[in-house]
């Protein structure tokens, strides 16, 4: 089991959350239909990093907020959590990606 | 000679932690015995002189009690009987209770006369991999396998349903302490005094751990005084919870430790409302692993006979249980531990013949006591072999050569009925490993100890290799204070009591003794030294291969006494240091656990929660046959009063319901549809983005059908959304996608478009919904709403009205799934059953009938409406014939990706209607569409059947919806549906997907 | 079934628990009496309020005479409770009061405050007694310890595998809100978990 610290509700079991996906992907602007690659990247391309990874979870049994989770895929350690707009990796400067 | 009397002939007259005033009756293999309160089954059997308790796994060799704890490899018995029968329980861990019933295992017909002991004579052939090597290639392996598996093995499980209840509990703490020995108690006292929220778990009935089995003195008083004093203090602290009989079996991510509390395992059966066991899921900020260490044996010839046991176990039997495990003892050791055993046994009146120490130098500080007790020490020597078939009667002793590979002088035999063996202690690093840690080898104690810290679980005391009592007490205190500091608590004082222990002289590794005969490494799995050397010769040298090839450590004890010996022997064979060989990965559970507490109360119908509509009770009372739709229970169809459930009556009921709706009027419960309330000034803009069609021009009081795409351009869900007010909409979704659509919208509002002012709320449960459908539905509605004009002009198709029905506020939507004139009536759920009944009463004049999901499904297929089977995540709007809903004037979710080449291919399978050429075949949904069913595979797939109505009462023959490749539709009118699994093939005619009322006149009038 | 205002209503209105509640004492009731008391609260007005205008919030709070609570807490008195639900979202609960929605709607602009009536969508169970926290501990991983979850705290969690809102009305009094469709199942699980302590259904 993982315990995810919901920025609003506090630490909760991961069973209260629904995994949404990779939080590092940016949706191309709605009006922007010229950039095929950007859409392809947003919809399909997913890395499978060993080490730190930003993920999006929804606290579906709680406040229903989407929560950004910085997780180490190697150890399952959750290093930080925040709201979708937060950049957790910057916040945890001391840590390098893909450790 | 084997008739045991119940006089406890091996019990000491005094001492021990048993209550001699509380005798307990029990039976073993049907014979009656008496033990005392405080006994384990093992100690009570030993007290009664029972040495032989089981037969070994493979060779059926007689076995006795080997340890005094959960590490027991030998003494596995079947406990209780009937529905509480439990195989493979460890006699050393079972608390004696009145009426306890135990049976030996793996013998036939009985322990003394076990026919399969022939395996022992055949044993030269039965080495690792023997069965597979010999039988696997031959014809008839399946025939042999049955007998082979029967000959080897453990106890049989019960086939009855478990009568007991199991419970779960979620707990939190600042500091979890696993293990209530000296380290754990010391840590608990310090952490408790510091004010931390502490949970101390221990798998025994009382705290003390190793102290209970030793004759230690703390501050010059027997150690139990200190334990009692600490427990009293801890009991008085509100911030400390002590959980005894609670075994921590796994350390998981996020510092979650799971433990099982044996609530009533020590009782004949649970009392009243007690559960049998309870799972504790412990969420700790910090964890102290004070799990102690396990003694391991030495590998020598015939080291498995009843009467041979671990040195510390022999000591525990005399000290804790006041039981003499033998009359005449030999101690065999490579470390100081054997001496402690020798002294404690001698003090209890057991004749200690000799201490055989493989080390050259005898620790000087033992000499005085050795002389006092007249115990002979034979240095640089080893036990070479043992004798006695049903129990030890003598041992052979010899001197070890310098290199340890041969026996030097002439060996000699001494008689003894107890051989206590100590090969050193291995820290219990299991939970540390579960937490993600990698153990490292420590030469000074010849064992693996915790390495770097993973998570927040710190090992202390014997579990990190600190074997002296003072160190244990000190480390417990220190680690607790370090944690208290980290938790911003005041550190606490504790005066560590003075101990009476001797300085420890280092162990000198001795893993195995040269000699012939069976030398068991893993007693539970009957893995011998020669199996390991064979594995080495055959190249299975990695510890992981060694384990799987020989089954070393794969029994219920998970090799607690055998792993390190096996790995050390492999290291010797490879001439490599043990640290290079490494150790296998420890995984939860630490000890065998029952599945009951993991399931808790989530069994039977409680496994999955059931969701009921507000009209559920009415349905139940009126002949509804229910079907599961996700978690919901929905009426599938209704049987008349006299009808019994049968296939014929089901068909009859469904036809009746469809005909009623098509000719008159019916009522169906549609409460399960997802309902989402949408408010906010940007609601219309938001709907424009989530739906493919336009929403800005929808007037207040009107509903519109829409489809949603996923980002990849495929259809996600469909439904109607109504505008209730300027900035207030009411959306419906399919039953199965209700939760997914809500999350989908929340995602865009929170993550992608946080600036949009839109609030979405699920109101599925707020409204009971029912569809009144059929040509007479308007008549019923107008009777229900006498003051409101419901004619076609005033309440047109896709109109929405908020009205009162007999004082109940209702929302009525003129939308149709069945293809008939239809009104979906929503009322607050508490009024659902009342309004449902009122409509049926009012509708009596029109022969109204409730209908279920079957009739509903048939009618939507007749009408060519798409539903779940068509919205399967692989179809585009064009595939479904819904291309006119794709707006080109705006961007919406999926609008970019839906233009990809593959999604615009003309030859993609498109929605069609399918009718069996013989007008009667029932075509299974999921059947594959092919050109010719007689072709040899691979046959090109031209499409599939998505939904099938086995009968269409309206058309008089079965119909289906399906998907057929675009180019096929244009060139042919006939196609075959095949279902090879059912050996079925039917010829179908391809038709328009709308079978009924193609101009949709019926819903518009 | 709980009594409703008028006799006409009681025939018409039915709670989601109407068919499952048995009154009396059950389980391990000792001579000291039951240590848990369970009852349904019905009918209630349950109104979800969304707004991100703090001025509006202050005005509504003056109108209702209850402060809007912060994250994970509740405010109110014996009658009216306001629970924090999520960012800019609250739940107002009180014994059935039909005009509450009208009251707010009349006073405030519909583009500033958004109300959603959930009175029928939720079933409410009150769990009271010295073992109430022990029962909650069986069903959810929230830290129910008094020091972490005292009076006027609320939590939205997975309780016995169902989405639930728990309002700590007092040290040993909890109001549990559950989706109506699951109410019967929830009740069954709750009383099963309570049986070892002995409980009374009022």
């Amino acid at each position: 089991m993982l315990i995810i610290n919901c920025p609003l509700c506090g630490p909760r079991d991961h069973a209260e959350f629904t995994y949404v996906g990779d939080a590092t992907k940016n949706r191309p602007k709605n009006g922007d239909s010229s950039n095929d690659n950007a859409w392809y990247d947003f919809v399909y391309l997913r890395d499978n990093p060993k080490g730190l990874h930003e993920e999006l979870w929804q606290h579906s049994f709680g406040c229903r907020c989407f929560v950004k989770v910085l997780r180490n895929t190697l150890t399952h350690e959750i290093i930080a959590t925040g709201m979708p707009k937060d950049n957790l990796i910057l916040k945890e400067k001391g840590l390098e990606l893909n450790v | 000679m084997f008739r045991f009397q119940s006089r406890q002939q091996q019990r000491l007259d005094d001492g021990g932690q048993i209550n001699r005033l509380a005798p307990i009756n029990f039976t073993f293999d049907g014979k009656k015995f008496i033990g005392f309160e405080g006994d384990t089954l093992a100690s009570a059997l030993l007290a009664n002189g029972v040495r032989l308790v089981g037969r070994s796994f493979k060779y059926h060799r007689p076995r006795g009690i080997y340890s005094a704890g959960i590490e027991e490899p030998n003494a596995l018995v079947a406990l209780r009987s009937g529905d509480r029968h439990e195989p493979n329980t460890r006699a050393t861990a079972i608390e004696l209770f009145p009426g306890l019933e135990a049976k030996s295992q793996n013998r036939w017909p009985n322990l003394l006369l076990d026919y399969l002991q022939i395996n022992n004579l055949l044993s030269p052939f039965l080495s690792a991999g023997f069965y597979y090597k010999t039988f696997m290639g031959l014809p008839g392996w399946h025939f042999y396998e049955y007998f082979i598996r029967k000959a080897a093995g453990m106890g049989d499980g019960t086939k009855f349903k478990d009568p007991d209840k199991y419970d779960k509990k979620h707990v939190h703490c600042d500091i979890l302490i696993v293990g209530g020995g000296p380290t754990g108690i010391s840590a608990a006292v310090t952490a408790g005094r510091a004010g931390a929220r502490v949970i101390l778990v221990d798998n025994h009935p009382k705290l003390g751990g190793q102290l209970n089995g030793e004759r230690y003195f703390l501050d010059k008083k027997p150690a139990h005084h200190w334990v009692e004093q600490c427990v009293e203090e801890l009991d008085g602290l509100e911030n400390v919870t002590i959980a005894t009989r609670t075994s921590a079996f796994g350390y998981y991510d996020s510092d979650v430790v799971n433990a099982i509390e044996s609530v009533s395992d020590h009782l004949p059966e649970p009392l009243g409302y007690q559960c049998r066991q309870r799972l504790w899921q412990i969420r700790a900020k910090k964890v102290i692993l004070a799990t102690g260490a396990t003694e391991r044996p030495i590998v020598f010839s015939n080291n498995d006979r009843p009467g041979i046991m671990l040195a510390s176990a022999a000591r525990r039997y005399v000290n804790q249980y006041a039981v003499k495990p033998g009359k005449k003892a030999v101690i065999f050791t490579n470390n100081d531990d054997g001496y402690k055993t020798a002294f404690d046994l001698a003090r209890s009146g057991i004749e200690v013949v000799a201490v055989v120490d493989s080390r050259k130098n005898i620790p000087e500080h033992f000499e005085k006591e050795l002389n006092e007790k007249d115990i002979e020490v034979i240095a640089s020597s080893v036990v070479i072999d043992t004798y006695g078939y049903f129990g030890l009667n003598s041992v052979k002793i010899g001197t070890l050569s310098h290199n340890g590979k041969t026996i030097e002088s002439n060996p000699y035999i001494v008689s003894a009925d107890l051989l206590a063996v100590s090969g050193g202690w291995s820290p219990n690093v299991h939970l540390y490993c579960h937490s993600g840690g990698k153990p490292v080898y420590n030469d000074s104690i010849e064992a693996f100890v915790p390495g770097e810290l993973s998570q927040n679980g710190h090992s202390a005391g014997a579990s990190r290799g600190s074997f002296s009592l003072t160190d244990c007490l000190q480390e417990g205190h220190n680690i607790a204070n370090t944690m208290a500091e980290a938790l911003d608590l005041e550190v606490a004082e504790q005066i560590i009591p003075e101990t009476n222990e001797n300085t420890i002289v280092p162990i000198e590794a001795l893993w195995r003794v040269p000699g012939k005969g069976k030398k068991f490494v893993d007693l539970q799995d009957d893995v011998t030294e020669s199996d390991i050397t064979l594995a080495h010769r055959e190249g299975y040298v990695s510890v992981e291969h060694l384990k799987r090839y020989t089954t070393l450590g794969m029994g219920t004890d998970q090799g607690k006494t055998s792993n390190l010996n096996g790995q050390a022997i492999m290291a010797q064979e490879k001439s490599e240091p043990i640290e290079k060989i490494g150790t296998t990965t420890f995984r939860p559970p630490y000890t065998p656990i029952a599945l009951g507490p993991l399931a808790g109360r989530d069994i039977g119908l409680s496994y999955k929660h059931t969701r009921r509509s507000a009209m559920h009770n009415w349905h139940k009372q009126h002949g509804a046959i229910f079907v599961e739709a996700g978690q919901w229970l929905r009426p599938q169809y209704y049987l008349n009063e006299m009808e019994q459930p049968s296939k014929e009556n089901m068909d009859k009921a469904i036809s009746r319901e469809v005909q009623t709706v098509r000719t008159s009027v019916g009522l169906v419960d549609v409460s399960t549809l997802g309902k989402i309330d949408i408010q906010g000034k940007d609601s219309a803009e938001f709907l424009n983005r989530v739906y493919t069609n336009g929403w800005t021009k929808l007037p207040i009081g009107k509903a519109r059908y829409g489809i949603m795409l996923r980002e990849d351009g495929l259809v996600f869900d469909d439904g109607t959304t109504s505008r209730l007010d300027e900035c207030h909409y009411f959306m419906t979704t399919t039953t199965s996608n209700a939760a997914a659509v809500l999350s989908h919208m929340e995602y865009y509002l929170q993550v992608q478009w946080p600036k949009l002012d839109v609030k979405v709320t699920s109101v599925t449960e707020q409204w009971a919904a029912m569809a009144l459908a059929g040509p007479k539905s308007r008549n019923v509605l107008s009777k229900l709403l006498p003051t409101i004009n419901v004619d076609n002009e005033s309440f047109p198709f896709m109109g929405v009205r908020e009205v009162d029905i007999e004082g109940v506020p209702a929302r009525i939507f003129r939308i149709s799934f069945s293809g008939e004139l239809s009104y979906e009536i929503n009322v607050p759920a508490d009024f659902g059953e009342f309004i449902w009944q009122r409509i049926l009463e009012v509708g009596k004049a029109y022969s109204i009938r409730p209908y279920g999901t079957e009739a509903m499904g048939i009618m939507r297929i007749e009408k060519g409406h798409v539903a779940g089977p068509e919205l399967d995540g692989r179809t585009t709007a064009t595939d479904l014939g819904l291309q006119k809903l794709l707006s080109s004037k705006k961007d919406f979710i999926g609008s970019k990706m839906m233009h990809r080449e593959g999604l615009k291919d003309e030859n993609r399978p498109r929605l069609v209607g399918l009718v069996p050429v013989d007008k009667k075949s029932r075509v299974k949904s999921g059947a594959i569409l092919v050109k010719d069913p007689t072709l040899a595979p691979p046959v090109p797939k031209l499409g599939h059947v998505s939904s099938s109505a086995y009968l269409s009462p309206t058309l008089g023959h079965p119909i289906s919806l399906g998907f057929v490749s675009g180019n096929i539709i244009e060139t042919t009118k006939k196609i075959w549906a095949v279902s090879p699994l059912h050996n079925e093939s039917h010829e179908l005619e391809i038709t328009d997907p709308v079978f009924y009322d193609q101009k949709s006149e019926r819903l518009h009038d | 079934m709980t009594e409703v205002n008028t006799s006409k209503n009681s025939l018409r209105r039915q709670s989601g628990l109407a068919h499952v509640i048995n009154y009396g004492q059950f389980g391990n009731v000792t001579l000291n009496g039951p240590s848990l008391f369970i009852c349904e609260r019905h009918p209630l007005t349950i109104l979800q309020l969304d707004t991100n205008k703090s001025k509006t919030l202050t005005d509504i709070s003056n109108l209702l005479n209850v402060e809007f609570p912060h994250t994970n807490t509740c405010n109110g008195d014996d009658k009216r409770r306001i629970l924090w639900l999520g960012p800019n979202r609250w739940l107002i609960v009180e014994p059935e009061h039909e005009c509450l929605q009208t009251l707010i709607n009349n006073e405030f602009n519909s583009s500033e405050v958004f109300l959603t009536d959930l009175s029928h969508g939720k079933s409410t169970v009150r769990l009271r007694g010295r073992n109430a926290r022990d029962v909650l501990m069986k069903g959810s991983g929230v830290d129910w310890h008094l020091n972490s979850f005292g009076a006027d705290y609320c939590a939205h969690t997975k309780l016995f595998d169902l989405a639930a809102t728990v309002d700590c009305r007092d040290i040993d009094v909890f109001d549990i809100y559950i989706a109506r469709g699951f109410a019967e199942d929830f009740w069954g699980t709750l009383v099963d978990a309570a049986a070892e302590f002995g409980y009374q259904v009022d």
Side-chain angles (χ1 to χ4, degrees), chain B residues 209-474:
Chain B
Q210 192 62 27
L211 294 177
N212 290 333
E214 305 281 7
R215 290 195 186 172
Y216 281 141
F217 282 75
L218 289 174
D219 284 342
K220 306 205 162 63
K221 278 188 253 170
H224 69 89
H225 287 281
W226 177 78
V227 174
E228 281 151 19
Q229 183 191 316
C230 290
V231 169
E232 197 187 322
E233 178 182 348
L234 293 172
D235 278 340
L237 292 174
E238 253 181 46
N239 53 326
V240 178
T241 306
I242 298 177
T244 52
R245 295 194 177 100
T246 304
S247 169
F249 65 83
Y251 194 131
Y252 300 89
D253 293 323
S254 303
D255 292 299
V256 174
V257 174
N258 281 1
I260 286 179
E261 177 191 0
S262 291
V263 179
S264 53
D265 279 319
H266 62 292
L267 304 173
E269 55 186 74
L271 307 166
Y273 295 88
Q274 237 176 13
C275 61
R276 171 100 177 252
Q277 295 174 358
R278 179 180 288 128
L279 176 72
W280 288 45
Q281 217 166 37
I282 308 168
R283 294 145 179 83
K285 290 190 183 128
K286 310 268 176 196
V287 182
I288 297 174
L289 298 170
T291 47
T294 301
E295 196 169 26
R296 53 178 188 263
I298 297 168
V299 178
F300 53 92
S301 299
N302 294 308
N303 56 342
D304 65 326
R305 300 190 192 284
I308 302 176
M309 66 171 67
L310 293 171
S312 61
R315 208 154 75 221
R316 190 178 280 270
Y317 284 116
V318 293
N319 293 339
Q320 181 171 352
Y321 302 106
V323 168
K324 290 195 283 184
K327 296 182 182 75
K328 209 170 165 188
V330 170
I331 318 289
F332 178 23
T333 188
N334 63 358
N335 65 92
D336 286 4
D337 211 71
Y339 294 85
K340 269 196 255 177
T341 303
F343 299 146
D344 289 354
L345 294 185
R347 257 187 226 119
S348 304
I350 297 173
E351 183 191 340
V352 179
V353 184
V355 175
V356 181
D357 193 334
S358 63
R359 297 176 294 183
K360 204 191 278 170
N361 302 316
I362 304 148
E364 280 172 19
H365 49 254
F366 290 140
E367 270 174 24
K368 184 169 164 257
E369 198 165 353
L370 286 166
N371 290 334
E372 269 171 28
K373 299 200 162 65
D374 195 20
I375 298 171
E376 185 192 359
V377 177
I378 311 168
S380 305
S381 294
V382 291
V383 170
I384 305 165
D385 205 348
T386 70
Y387 308 93
Y389 189 70
F390 286 118
L392 184 75
N393 58 33
S394 49
V395 301
K396 190 193 231 176
I397 299 166
T399 309
L400 205 56
S401 70
H402 264 298
N403 63 7
K405 285 186 178 158
T406 48
I407 303 299
E408 268 183 353
S409 59
N410 287 339
Y412 58 98
I413 292 172
V414 297
S415 78
D417 63 352
L418 173 65
L419 174 57
V421 186
S422 179
W425 290 76
S426 302
N428 294 326
V429 295
H430 304 70
L431 291 176
Y432 160 77
C433 293
H434 300 172
S435 79
K438 296 264 178 294
V440 294
Y441 197 74
N442 180 336
D443 287 327
S444 68
I445 60 164
E446 297 290 355
F448 283 96
V449 295
E452 268 179 52
L453 193 67
S454 182
Q455 303 202 49
N456 286 307
H458 297 251
S459 300
S463 72
R464 70 178 284 269
S466 306
F467 294 149
S468 104
L469 180 55
T470 310
D471 288 352
C472 288
L473 296 166
Q474 192 66 53

Side-chain angles (χ1 to χ4, degrees), chain B residues 52 190 346 355 358 371 373 460 472 485 488 604 633 654 660 719 981:
Chain B
L52 173 65
T190 300
V355 175
S358 63
N371 290 334
K373 299 200 162 65
C472 288
E485 234 177 330
D488 285 331
L633 275 186
I654 293 166
T660 306
L981 272 181

